[in-house]
Amino acid sequence: MREVMAELSLSFACWDYDRTRALREGRVKPEGIELNQLTLPVEETFYRQLRHREFDVSEMSLSSYVLTLNEPEPPFVALPVFPSRFFRHQSIYVNARSGVERPEDLAGKRVGVPEYQMTAAVWQRGILAEHHGLPVDAVTYWTGGLEQAGREEKLPLDLPEHIRVRPIPPGATLSEMLAAGELDALYSAAQPSCFGREPAVRHLFPDFKRVEQDYFRRTRIFPIMHVVVVRRELYERHPWIARSLYKAFDESLRLALEDLLHRNALKVMLPWLHDHVRETLDVLGDGYWAYGLEPNRHVLGRFAAYSHEQGLAARRWAPEQIVLGQASESYVL
């Protein structure tokens, strides 16, 4: 009698995204794997995985993952799967009383950021330096909790002296300090609670949608925020799981797009959803959220350059050193 090989049981921590929903619901199943998905806020997933290696597979900040490559024995390998992407011009806030009207006005100012190494801030600093003439070391960065006091960098940093990073006072939050004018600007991922409550707090780029669309037309970059990582020792024992997981993530992504394009009834509570989808495709093109190494080589390469230039990555990693390209390769008939 032929023996049936047991499926490999893996834990997977990730936020509740439409592009991973088919995996969570069991509509898509990775070959040879029983996937136990934990739906957790990204901050909790990152903290638990980086500090304690709790999950077999998890979503992870791209910046934090690249920093782990500095270690003598990097603990993770990344699949070319990107559950979170975001244009980040819209997430830069300023206090109008500081006299900041344009990006170059930030030179010499105090800028808050939850963590210097966070992915959103790496993209924001890089874009402001490359496209708006604001050098990374032209400001002083103040780190701490956006809404709760006590946040610290999840990973130790060894920054060059010309980059100035300071912790905010104990008990303070970035949102409160921005509202009070104790910070001139904030580079963030989340919107601070003072926005909309404090009239002086506004977007650095008020017409951010137009600015972000123009940025994409010029660069073809839709910034990657998060990757999916596998614990390295697990991958080395079972290298086949990389391709199996990639295929499942890719199919789940396809089904999410299919849901967005469904026109008989709205699956998302947005009355003009189809107009927004059409506009997105007109600007970004088909495959704008594609997984895989090659469609994202230029995005990963630009991020790697920013991370190294900002004193984070020990070297400028090549895209194929960041993600496991073979996971997205397939045979041809």
Side-chain angles (χ1 to χ4, degrees), residues 12-17 20 37-41 45 58-59 83 228:
F12 169 50
C14 187
W15 183 228
D16 180 21
Y17 298 118
T20 58
Q37 183 164 335
L38 294 81
T39 303
L40 300 173
T45 296
S58 81
E59 176 181 14
V228 169

Side-chain angles (χ1 to χ4, degrees), residues 148-160:
Q148 293 179 298
R151 181 168 178 172
E152 298 178 350
E153 300 278 352
K154 283 186 282 293
L155 295 169
L157 304 181
D158 183 17
L159 300 174

Side-chain angles (χ1 to χ4, degrees), residues 20 51 78 91 99 103 120 130 192 206 213 230 247 262 270 291 321-322:
T20 58
R51 293 288 181 90
S91 305
E130 182 176 9
Q213 289 180 345
V230 180
K247 288 168 65 178
H262 185 80
L270 294 172
Y291 296 158
Q321 294 173 307
I322 297 174

Side-chain angles (χ1 to χ4, degrees), residues 108-130:
K109 301 293 188 180
R110 295 162 53 98
V111 175
V113 60
E115 296 182 44
Y116 180 82
Q117 66 86 29
M118 66 186 290
T119 307
V122 174
W123 279 113
Q124 288 160 330
R125 290 189 298 264
I127 289 170
L128 290 176
E130 182 176 9

Side-chain angles (χ1 to χ4, degrees), residues 82-327:
F82 314 110
S84 179
R85 306 178 84 128
F86 216 118
F87 290 110
R88 285 302 181 189
H89 298 74
Q90 61 190 276
S91 305
I92 303 175
Y93 302 88
V94 299
N95 188 310
R97 294 193 297 268
S98 298
V100 176
E101 297 291 335
R102 302 170 301 171
E104 52 265 42
D105 296 335
L106 286 169
K109 301 293 188 180
R110 295 162 53 98
V111 175
V113 60
E115 296 182 44
Y116 180 82
Q117 66 86 29
M118 66 186 290
T119 307
V122 174
W123 279 113
Q124 288 160 330
R125 290 189 298 264
I127 289 170
L128 290 176
E130 182 176 9
H131 299 281
H132 298 278
L134 181 72
V136 171
D137 59 1
V139 308
T140 300
Y141 302 97
W142 293 83
T143 62
L146 182 65
E147 306 293 348
Q148 293 179 298
R151 181 168 178 172
E152 298 178 350
E153 300 278 352
K154 283 186 282 293
L155 295 169
L157 304 181
D158 183 17
L159 300 174
E161 291 184 2
H162 66 93
I163 295 177
R164 300 178 301 279
V165 180
R166 310 282 186 268
I168 61 176
T173 69
L174 296 173
S175 182
E176 292 169 350
M177 293 181 69
L178 182 64
E182 296 169 345
L183 293 173
D184 304 299
L186 171 69
Y187 300 170
S188 183
Q191 178 175 287
S193 61
C194 63
F195 181 78
R197 187 183 72 235
E198 170 53 58
V201 175
R202 60 172 181 80
H203 291 286
L204 174 62
F205 298 99
D207 190 11
F208 57 78
K209 183 177 178 181
R210 179 193 60 79
V211 172
E212 291 169 350
Q213 289 180 345
D214 179 65
Y215 167 77
F216 180 82
R217 290 187 182 102
R218 288 184 290 109
T219 66
R220 314 310 294 176
I221 289 175
F222 184 14
I224 292 169
M225 294 292 126
H226 304 164
V227 292
V228 169
V229 301
V230 180
R231 286 192 295 110
R232 184 174 294 272
E233 69 270 19
L234 177 65
Y235 165 71
E236 290 175 348
R237 286 202 310 272
H238 308 286
W240 59 270
I241 66 176
R243 178 63 181 160
S244 185
L245 287 167
Y246 177 86
K247 288 168 65 178
F249 280 111
D250 199 44
E251 175 63 9
S252 187
L253 175 71
R254 187 191 67 79
L255 291 175
L257 180 59
E258 189 177 274
D259 281 351
L260 284 178
L261 297 174
H262 185 80
R263 294 190 62 88
N264 289 356
L266 290 171
K267 292 195 173 186
V268 178
M269 294 186 297
L270 294 172
W272 296 283
L273 170 66
H274 299 299
D275 181 67
H276 180 60
V277 172
R278 185 70 266 158
E279 179 189 27
T280 299
L281 293 174
D282 286 344
V283 175
L284 304 185
D286 294 335
Y288 67 94
W289 206 299
Y291 296 158
L293 171 60
E294 293 308 324
N296 296 283
R297 179 177 289 278
H298 64 300
V299 184
L300 293 167
R302 179 49 49 201
F303 183 85
Y306 287 164
S307 181
H308 180 57
E309 291 162 3
Q310 295 173 27
L312 291 167
R315 55 182 288 190
R316 182 170 174 172
W317 300 102
E320 57 269 21
Q321 294 173 307
I322 297 174
V323 297
L324 193 66
Q326 69 192 60

